[in-house]
Amino acid sequence: MKFATIIAATLATANAVKQTTMQMGSKTESDGFMQETVTDVTYAAVDLDQIQADIEAWYSNTASPFIADHKNMVYKAALAEMEAEHGALLETCDEGTACRERYIAELREKISLIWKQTLTNFKQTIESAVTETRAEVEDKWIDLQECQTNHPCCSISEIFWMNNIKKVKQVRAEYAGFVMKWF
C-alpha cells in the first residue's frame, strides 16, 4: 500500500517537474560538412533549485491534501471491511461509548502517524532522487564531453586543412588581382 501511494505521488511529482522544465534543443546538419553529420544539442537553462522549490510547493499544495484525503478513504474502507467481516458494533451506554471514543482516538492518532511517516518517506525519496539525478548527470557529463574529444567531427588531417587554407588565400589574392585589373 505504501509503495503504491509513493508511486502515485512520484508520478504526480514528475508531472509537476515536467511542467517547469524547458525542452532541450537539438540541431542536426550535414550540408557543408564533407559528408559528416554534425549534431548540436543545447539544454535550456533550468534552475534545479527552482524545480526543488516547485516540488516543495506541489508537495504542500497537492500531495499533502491528496494523501490526507486518501488516508481518510483508506480508514473508512478499513472500518467498513471490519464491519462487513465481523458484524456491526452494538449500541453502548456512556462507559462503553467513552471506551470506544478512547480507542477511536488512539486509532486515529496511530493512523495519522503511519501516514505522516509515509509523507516523510515520500519527501525524502524525492529529495534523494533529485540528489542522485544531479550526481548521475555530473558523472555522465564527463563522458559526454569525452565523446566530442574522442570522436571529433573533422575526419580530414590538419595538414590537408592548412594546405586548403593556403590555396584559398592564393585564389583570393589572384581574384583580387583580376578585380583590380578590371577596374
Side-chain angles (χ1 to χ4, degrees), residues 1 29-31 37 51 57 73 76 80-81 99 101 129 144 146 153 156 160-161 169:
M1 186 65 161
E29 298 180 53
S30 57
D31 292 339
T37 302
I51 290 173
M73 288 187 289
K76 289 175 184 176
E81 285 177 6
C99 177
E101 287 174 355
L144 294 170
E146 286 178 4
C153 291
I156 297 171
F160 180 80
W161 185 253
K169 286 180 180 179

Side-chain angles (χ1 to χ4, degrees), residues 57-102:
W58 175 86
Y59 173 80
S60 299
N61 301 333
T62 305
S64 291
F66 172 79
I67 296 298
D69 289 344
H70 189 67
K71 171 189 78 169
N72 292 331
M73 288 187 289
V74 170
Y75 172 68
K76 289 175 184 176
L79 289 173
E81 285 177 6
M82 289 298 104
E83 185 176 67
E85 187 176 324
H86 300 288
L89 295 173
L90 301 177
E91 293 181 15
T92 59
C93 292
D94 292 340
E95 287 184 32
T97 300
C99 177
R100 282 189 182 159
E101 287 174 355
R102 189 174 59 251

Side-chain angles (χ1 to χ4, degrees), residues 162-173:
M162 296 307 288
N163 286 337
N164 277 339
I165 291 173
K166 286 179 184 178
K167 287 179 186 177
V168 167
K169 286 180 180 179
Q170 288 172 353
V171 169
R172 281 186 179 167

Side-chain angles (χ1 to χ4, degrees), residues 2-3 12 35 71 77-78 80 100 102 127 129-131 149 175:
K2 284 183 182 181
F3 184 72
Q35 282 75 37
K71 171 189 78 169
R100 282 189 182 159
R102 189 174 59 251
E127 289 170 355
V130 169
T131 301
T149 304
Y175 174 74

Side-chain angles (χ1 to χ4, degrees), residues 113-181:
L113 289 174
I114 290 169
W115 286 90
K116 184 178 181 180
Q117 185 61 44
T118 299
L119 279 171
T120 301
N121 291 344
F122 168 71
K123 191 174 180 181
Q124 290 171 345
T125 300
I126 295 300
E127 289 170 355
S128 175
V130 169
T131 301
E132 288 179 37
T133 299
R134 281 180 166 164
E136 287 297 321
V137 168
E138 186 175 354
D139 288 347
K140 285 299 174 191
W141 195 261
I142 294 166
D143 294 338
L144 294 170
Q145 287 176 325
E146 286 178 4
C147 289
Q148 68 199 31
T149 304
N150 295 339
H151 306 284
C153 291
C154 193
S155 58
I156 297 171
S157 74
E158 186 177 352
I159 294 171
F160 180 80
W161 185 253
M162 296 307 288
N163 286 337
N164 277 339
I165 291 173
K166 286 179 184 178
K167 287 179 186 177
V168 167
K169 286 180 180 179
Q170 288 172 353
V171 169
R172 281 186 179 167
E174 187 177 342
Y175 174 74
F178 288 137
V179 169
M180 292 302 288
K181 282 183 185 181

